[in-house]
Amino acid sequence: MDTLIFLIVLTVAVILYSVFMYFRQKKILKTLTEEEFIAGYRKAQLIDVREPNEFAGGHILGARNIPLTQLKTRLKEIRPDKPVYLYCQTGSRSGRAAQLLYKKGYRDLNHLQGGFKKWGGKVKAK
């Protein structure tokens, strides 16, 4: 019985944490449609937070590859006074990247709805 209660409490805690993170992310990160993304990314810092092998397989033309796993050590490459447009494969890593950037003082944070997987614009492959 104690194990069942523990599992229920744990499940509720995970659900509450997930809901909290969802709403926090919505507050700090603007999710853009492909059309909105295309309209603004040329005037912004376009950052692909996927791993280098994913980036090499194809990326949005003009994007810089700063993987989420390296973001903390490469923050100096991103200006806090300019808009930041993030994307990953599906949108989850760009959300985590935005949370890290927000903690470091970045405020104009945007990401591509659905990620690169849904991108229909120009692509460059290495």
Side-chain angles (χ1 to χ4, degrees), residues 42-78:
R42 286 186 184 89
K43 299 177 198 113
Q45 303 170 91
L46 180 59
I47 312 293
D48 183 327
V49 297
R50 300 176 301 157
E51 291 301 313
N53 62 319
E54 294 173 285
F55 183 80
H59 57 273
I60 297 174
L61 195 61
R64 281 186 288 157
N65 185 218
I66 304 178
L68 177 60
T69 55
Q70 299 173 16
L71 192 57
K72 278 185 184 175
T73 59
R74 295 179 62 187
L75 282 175
K76 289 183 180 119
E77 297 176 41
I78 306 171

Side-chain angles (χ1 to χ4, degrees), residues 4 11-12 29 39 47 52 65 101 103 107 111 117-118 121:
L4 180 61
T11 303
V12 169
L29 178 65
I47 312 293
N65 185 218
L101 290 169
K103 284 180 190 172
R107 292 299 179 257
H111 83 138
K117 195 175 182 180
K118 302 280 185 181

